[in-house]
C-alpha cells in the first residue's frame, strides 16, 4: 500500500521548492530552498534606474551600467514599506518570471516566503497578499517580518559557540534580540521561540539612505556639488565611514583650529583624514580610498604648475565626515531627529518586557543589515548597552558572517522544515476558499 498517497481532503501536494525573498529597500535577497537542499542567495538591486543617456535598467541589469554619473533611481519601497507594486512587479517579472532569468520559476509550482518590515500597514499587507495570489498565483505563501526569520539561523555559532547538529531538526532559537539596520531604518525586535514580541518592537528612523543624504549635504557644502551623485556618495560612505570609539577625541583631532591659527595635527588629523579618488567612468570605473597626502592638492594645482591634467587625481578629502555620519545611529539629535540613540532604544524595548527575559535577550544581541558592516559598529553598540544594562546581565553583541543575507539564510533554513513551513503558510486553495481577511489574521497570529 502506498502510504504517501494523498486524498482529496488532504489538500494539494506541497511545492517541491520554495522561493525565499527578503524584499529590502536597497537590495532584494532571493534564492531557492527545499527540504533537501539550500540554493545560492542572489543579491539584486531593488530599483529601476535611468542613466544620463536615458537608458533604463531594471533590477540586476544595473550591473551592466558603466557610467553612474547623474543616474536617477526609482525604488518601490519608501520608509521601509512596499508602496509601489507597479515598479516592484516589473522588477519581479524580470528577475523571477522571465525565461532568461537566473531565478526563473513557475509560481504555480513554487512556494514563497516573503520578508517584510515590522509594523507594516494592514492596507499594504492586504495589497501584497492580493498581488501574490491573484496576479502571480504562487502555490503557497508565507509572509512574515524579516527579523523573525533570523531565529532559524544557528545563532549560537555567531557567538563562537559550538554549531548545532546539521542532522537535527531546524527549530528557532529560544531567545534573541535582533537589530536590523538597513537602508530605510533600524528596527529592534525581541524574539522568543521564533515569535516577535510585538509590543517591544522599536524603530529608529536612521538607515543607509539618511546617512547617504547627510554625507551628500556635507560634501556639497564643503567641497564639490554632489547632490546628483547619490550612487557615488553611497559608495564613499560604505568605503570610508567608521564608527568611532571616542567621538570627542576624534572630533578634536579633525578640528582645523581658529582663523589664522591652523593646528599642525589638522593636516592628517591623526590618520583620520583620507582621500577618496573619484572615478571618471572612462579610465577609472570605480573610486577608491587612500591615505591623505597634504602636499597633493588636486587637478587645479597640477594645472597651475604646468603638469597635464591626466597626472592629477580628482579627490574628495574626508575628515570628520568619516565618523560624524554613522554617529547618527547613536545620536540622532545631531541633525535634530527627536529620537533616542540605538542603545537607549534597546533599553526602551526591554523596559516593556518582564525583567526575567532581560538576561537572555542581552546575551543574544544579533545585528544584521547593511549598516552592520560599518567598521566599529558592533564594539560601540556593545559598549553603550553595557553602560545602560544592569550589572548582573551579560551583554553579547555579534553579527553573522554576512549580515546582508542573514535574513534570507534564516528563511532558507525554515524552508527545509516542511512540517513547520506548512503550518505557517497559506495555499492558493485556502486563499480562494477563505479570503484575504482570513489570510491576514493567520499571518497576524490571530
Amino acid at each position: 500500500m502506498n502510504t504517501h498517497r494523498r486524498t482529496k481532503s488532504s489538500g494539494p501536494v506541497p511545492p517541491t521548492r520554495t522561493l525565499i525573498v527578503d524584499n529590502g529597500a536597497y537590495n532584494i535577497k532571493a534564492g531557492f530552498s527545499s527540504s533537501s537542499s539550500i540554493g545560492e542567495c542572489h543579491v539584486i538591486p531593488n530599483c529601476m534606474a535611468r542613466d544620463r543617456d536615458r537608458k533604463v535598467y531594471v533590477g540586476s541589469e544595473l550591473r551592466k551600467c558603466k557610467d553612474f554619473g547623474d543616474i536617477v533611481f526609482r525604488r518601490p519601497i519608501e520608509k521601509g514599506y512596499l508602496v509601489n507594486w507597479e515598479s516592484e512587479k516589473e522588477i519581479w517579472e524580470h528577475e523571477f518570471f522571465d525565461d532568461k532569468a537566473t531565478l526563473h520559476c513557475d509560481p504555480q509550482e513554487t512556494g514563497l516566503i516573503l520578508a517584510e518590515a515590522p509594523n507594516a500597514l494592514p492596507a499594504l499587507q492586504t495589497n501584497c497578499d492580493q498581488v501574490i495570489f491573484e496576479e502571480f498565483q504562487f502555490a503557497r505563501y508565507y509572509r512574515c517580518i524579516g527579523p523573525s526569520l533570523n531565529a532559524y539561523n544557528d545563532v549560537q555559532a555567531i557567538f563562537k559557540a559550538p554549531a548545532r547538529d546539521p542532522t537535527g531538526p531546524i527549530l528557532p532559537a529560544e531567545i534573541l534580540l535582533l537589530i536590523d539596520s538597513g537602508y530605510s531604518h533600524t528596527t529592534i525586535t525581541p524574539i522568543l521561540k521564533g515569535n516577535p514580541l510585538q509590543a517591544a518592537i522599536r524603530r529608529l528612523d536612521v538607515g543607509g539612505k539618511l546617512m547617504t543624504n547627510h554625507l551628500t549635504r556635507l560634501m556639497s557644502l564643503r567641497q564639490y556639488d554632489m547632490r546628483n551623485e547619490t550612487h557615488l556618495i553611497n559608495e564613499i560612505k560604505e568605503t570610508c565611514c567608521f564608527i568611532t570609539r571616542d567621538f570627542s577625541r576624534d572630533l578634536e583631532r579633525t578640528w582645523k583650529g581658529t582663523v589664522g591659527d591652523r593646528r599642525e595635527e589638522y593636516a592628517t588629523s591623526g590618520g583620520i583624514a583620507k582621500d577618496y579618488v573619484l572615478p571618471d567612468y572612462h579610465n577609472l570605473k570605480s573610486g577608491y580610498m587612500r591615505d591623505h597626502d597634504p602636499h597633493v592638492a588636486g587637478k587645479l594645482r597640477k594645472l597651475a604648475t604646468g603638469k597635464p591634467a591626466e597626472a592629477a587625481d580628482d579627490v574628495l578629502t574626508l575628515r570628520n565626515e568619516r565618523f560624524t555620519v554613522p554617529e547618527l545611529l547613536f545620536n540622532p539629535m545631531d541633525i535634530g531627529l527627536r529620537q533616542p540613540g540605538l542603545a537607549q532604544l534597546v533599553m526602551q524595548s526591554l523596559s516593556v518586557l518582564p525583567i526575567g527575559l532581560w538576561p537572555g535577550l542581552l546575551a543574544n544581541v544579533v545585528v544584521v543589515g547593511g549598516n552592520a558592516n560599518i567598521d566599529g559598529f558592533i564594539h560601540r553598540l556593545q559598549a553603550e548597552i553595557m553602560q545602560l544594562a544592569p550589572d548582573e546581565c551579560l551583554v553579547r553583541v555579534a553579527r553573522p558572517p554576512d549580515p546582508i543575507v542573514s535574513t534570507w539564510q534564516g528563511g532558507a533554513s525554515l524552508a527545509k522544515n516542511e512540517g513547520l513551513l506548512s503550518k505557517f503558510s497559506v495555499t492558493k486553495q485556502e486563499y480562494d476558499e477563505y479570503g484575504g481577511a482570513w489570510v491576514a489574521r493567520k499571518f497576524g497570529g490571530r
Side-chain angles (χ1 to χ4, degrees):
M1 180 179 177
N2 185 3
T3 58
H4 296 288
R5 183 178 178 183
R6 300 179 65 89
T7 64
K8 185 176 180 180
S9 60
S10 65
V13 176
T16 56
R17 65 176 184 170
T18 301
L19 175 66
I20 299 96
V21 178
D22 179 10
N23 210 57
Y26 193 74
N27 286 318
I28 298 172
K29 284 71 71 177
F32 294 105
S33 180
S34 66
S35 57
S36 58
S37 64
I38 296 178
E40 179 186 356
C41 178
H42 297 259
V43 180
I44 303 161
N46 193 9
C47 65
M48 300 170 66
R50 188 183 66 203
D51 64 15
R52 66 179 71 187
D53 297 325
R54 305 190 71 80
K55 182 177 179 181
V56 176
Y57 303 90
V58 178
S60 57
E61 289 181 344
L62 187 63
R63 299 190 180 97
K64 300 177 183 177
C65 181
K66 297 181 180 179
D67 185 351
F68 288 95
D70 296 329
I71 196 166
V72 178
F73 292 97
R74 182 182 181 187
R75 300 189 184 276
I77 294 182
E78 292 288 340
K79 298 186 182 297
Y81 302 117
L82 181 50
V83 296
N84 187 344
W85 261 109
E86 294 305 315
S87 298
E88 195 65 87
K89 280 191 290 186
E90 190 164 345
I91 296 169
W92 278 34
E93 285 168 359
H94 179 269
E95 301 299 333
F96 305 140
F97 310 129
D98 189 274
D99 291 337
K100 298 180 181 179
T102 306
L103 293 172
H104 173 74
C105 67
D106 180 357
Q108 296 184 3
E109 299 177 357
T110 308
L112 174 68
I113 297 177
L114 179 62
E116 63 175 3
N119 297 329
L121 294 174
L124 297 179
Q125 294 175 326
T126 300
N127 187 29
C128 179
D129 297 342
Q130 290 173 349
V131 171
I132 296 302
F133 277 129
E134 297 178 14
E135 297 202 29
F136 294 140
Q137 299 189 348
F138 276 93
R140 186 172 67 182
Y141 168 54
Y142 175 43
R143 170 174 52 77
C144 62
I145 66 170
S148 65
L149 292 178
N150 286 272
Y152 294 91
N153 288 323
D154 191 353
V155 173
Q156 293 310 310
I158 299 174
F159 293 98
K160 312 301 181 185
R164 66 186 176 192
D165 183 4
T167 61
I170 296 176
L171 299 173
E174 186 171 344
I175 193 166
L176 172 69
L177 183 63
L178 199 285
I179 299 175
D180 187 348
S181 187
Y183 183 70
S184 299
H185 51 62
T186 299
T187 57
I188 299 165
T189 310
I191 301 170
L192 188 65
K193 296 182 179 179
N195 299 310
L197 303 178
Q198 193 69 34
I201 294 177
R202 294 293 181 268
R203 166 174 166 146
L204 175 64
D205 292 324
V206 177
K209 181 179 181 179
L210 185 141
M211 290 190 285
T212 298
N213 290 343
H214 184 50
L215 182 58
T216 301
R217 294 189 193 100
L218 294 178
M219 291 289 97
S220 299
L221 180 67
R222 299 174 182 179
Q223 300 191 51
Y224 299 140
D225 184 356
M226 305 293 287
R227 287 174 295 179
N228 294 327
E229 303 293 344
T230 307
H231 184 271
L232 177 58
I233 287 290
N234 193 68
E235 288 188 340
I236 294 173
K237 179 198 70 179
E238 292 177 356
T239 303
C240 302
C241 285
F242 70 96
I243 293 177
T244 176
R245 298 187 181 187
D246 190 335
F247 184 79
S248 299
R249 181 197 62 191
D250 286 343
L251 201 60
E252 174 71 20
R253 285 179 175 177
T254 55
W255 182 46
K256 188 174 183 178
T258 57
V259 177
D261 185 20
R262 176 176 292 194
R263 301 168 68 244
E264 290 184 8
E265 190 181 16
Y266 175 75
T268 59
S269 301
I272 293 175
K274 298 288 183 182
D275 287 339
Y276 188 86
V277 180
L278 299 173
D280 57 12
Y281 300 115
H282 296 290
N283 300 317
L284 186 64
K285 299 298 183 184
S286 60
Y288 61 92
M289 183 177 69
R290 68 185 185 192
D291 290 336
H292 175 60
D293 185 351
H295 302 292
V296 177
K299 277 187 176 179
L300 292 177
R301 184 172 293 179
K302 294 281 186 179
L303 288 170
T305 56
K307 294 184 179 180
E310 292 76 16
D313 292 320
D314 212 355
V315 301
L316 286 175
T317 300
L318 293 95
R319 287 186 170 84
N320 62 19
E321 300 90 353
R322 294 188 62 205
F323 59 87
T324 55
V325 170
E327 183 69 17
L328 298 178
L329 286 163
F330 296 92
N331 290 290
M333 277 297 293
D334 287 354
I335 58 168
L337 194 63
R338 295 186 177 181
Q339 285 188 285
L342 188 53
Q344 290 81 10
L345 213 56
V346 168
M347 299 311 297
Q348 275 192 18
S349 173
L350 294 178
S351 68
V352 302
L353 297 174
I355 199 166
L357 293 177
W358 288 27
L361 291 168
L362 288 170
N364 295 281
V365 182
V366 176
V367 185
V368 301
N371 296 329
N373 286 320
I374 300 176
D375 189 31
F377 188 12
I378 303 302
H379 183 277
R380 171 75 177 275
L381 180 60
Q382 179 165 322
E384 292 212 356
I385 294 177
M386 286 178 67
Q387 290 180 349
L388 301 173
D391 292 338
E392 58 270 19
C393 289
L394 170 68
V395 177
R396 296 190 304 172
V397 181
R399 69 179 179 198
D402 190 346
I404 293 177
V405 302
S406 177
T407 298
W408 180 90
Q409 289 170 340
S413 297
L414 171 60
K416 290 192 71 176
N417 190 331
E418 176 61 35
L420 206 56
L421 182 58
S422 298
K423 177 183 174 182
F424 295 154
S425 299
V426 172
T427 65
K428 178 69 165 64
Q429 184 182 24
E430 289 174 329
Y431 176 81
D432 293 338
E433 183 174 350
Y434 300 118
W438 178 85
V439 172
R441 287 194 300 271
K442 178 166 182 175
F443 289 157
R446 299 190 298 274

